[in-house]
Amino acid sequence: MLVDEHGQAWVGSSEGLFLFSKSFFTSYDRNDGLVNVYPLHEDSEGAIWAASIERDVSFILDENIIKVNDESTARVFSFYEDTEQNMWLGSSKGIFIWNRRSQNIAQLDDPYEENVPQVKVIQESDDSKLWIGSIEGLHEYSIETRE
């Protein structure tokens, strides 16, 4: 569940994604490519990001659903938006980055050469380092140096 900047509640479920507002209710389902939805994230532009168990990743902005991944993307467990508004996707196959300017998604080369699997969480520290939590432990990554 996610409460957005407007106080609206977004709920992901096995049946789809549901938006509850004080004045209306909206549902997105299999026809919209949204079932088994988890996790949810609101980015700096107010878009709501949703990932499904079926490996679909989309965002909703101004009632439009935009799919951002292709068949090579794995199941997504977490989202992180960097200072350049790129979206980092922690997944069952490591990290994918969606570039806001180019609207492309690419897998991050594994800086650890140990195939960091199942990235569950990505957070940035005050010194601009990313902390990546996976089933293998905690990893530090510098966006600047790409290591």
Side-chain angles (χ1 to χ4, degrees), residues 87-98:
M87 190 62 66
W88 294 60
L89 313 174
S91 80
S92 60
K93 293 184 181 176
I95 297 173
F96 290 81
I97 303 172
W98 180 77

Side-chain angles (χ1 to χ4, degrees), residues 8-145:
Q8 303 172 128
W10 295 82
V11 178
S13 80
S14 61
E15 298 300 316
L17 179 63
F18 303 93
L19 169 60
F20 297 91
S21 173
K22 291 179 182 175
S23 58
F24 64 90
F25 167 81
T26 303
S27 65
Y28 303 92
D29 58 21
R30 186 171 302 282
N31 295 329
D32 301 303
L34 293 166
V35 292
N36 294 316
V37 175
Y38 173 83
L40 299 172
H41 176 81
E42 182 176 18
D43 72 17
S44 61
E45 292 192 356
I48 303 300
W49 288 75
S52 75
I53 292 174
E54 284 80 12
R55 301 182 179 185
D56 291 323
V57 177
S58 305
F59 66 87
I60 300 170
L61 184 62
D62 300 325
E63 298 181 21
N64 296 310
I65 301 172
I66 297 107
K67 184 176 176 181
V68 301
N69 64 323
D70 60 26
E71 292 74 34
S72 67
T73 311
R75 180 169 177 214
V76 171
F77 299 109
S78 62
F79 295 104
Y80 171 74
E81 184 179 12
D82 67 22
T83 55
E84 294 180 7
Q85 296 182 308
N86 297 314
M87 190 62 66
W88 294 60
L89 313 174
S91 80
S92 60
K93 293 184 181 176
I95 297 173
F96 290 81
I97 303 172
W98 180 77
N99 184 297
R100 188 174 297 275
R101 282 186 226 114
S102 69
Q103 306 279 303
N104 290 324
I105 192 166
Q107 189 166 16
L108 177 69
D109 290 334
D110 185 359
Y112 307 102
E113 299 178 4
E114 57 189 54
N115 190 21
V116 176
Q118 293 198 17
V119 173
K120 300 291 189 175
V121 65
I122 304 169
Q123 291 293 316
E124 187 172 3
S125 61
D126 291 338
D127 59 355
S128 300
K129 299 250 195 261
L130 291 184
W131 289 94
I132 300 165
S134 76
I135 63 169
E136 297 295 322
L138 187 62
H139 307 273
E140 182 181 23
Y141 180 79
S142 170
I143 296 174
E144 274 184 26
T145 64

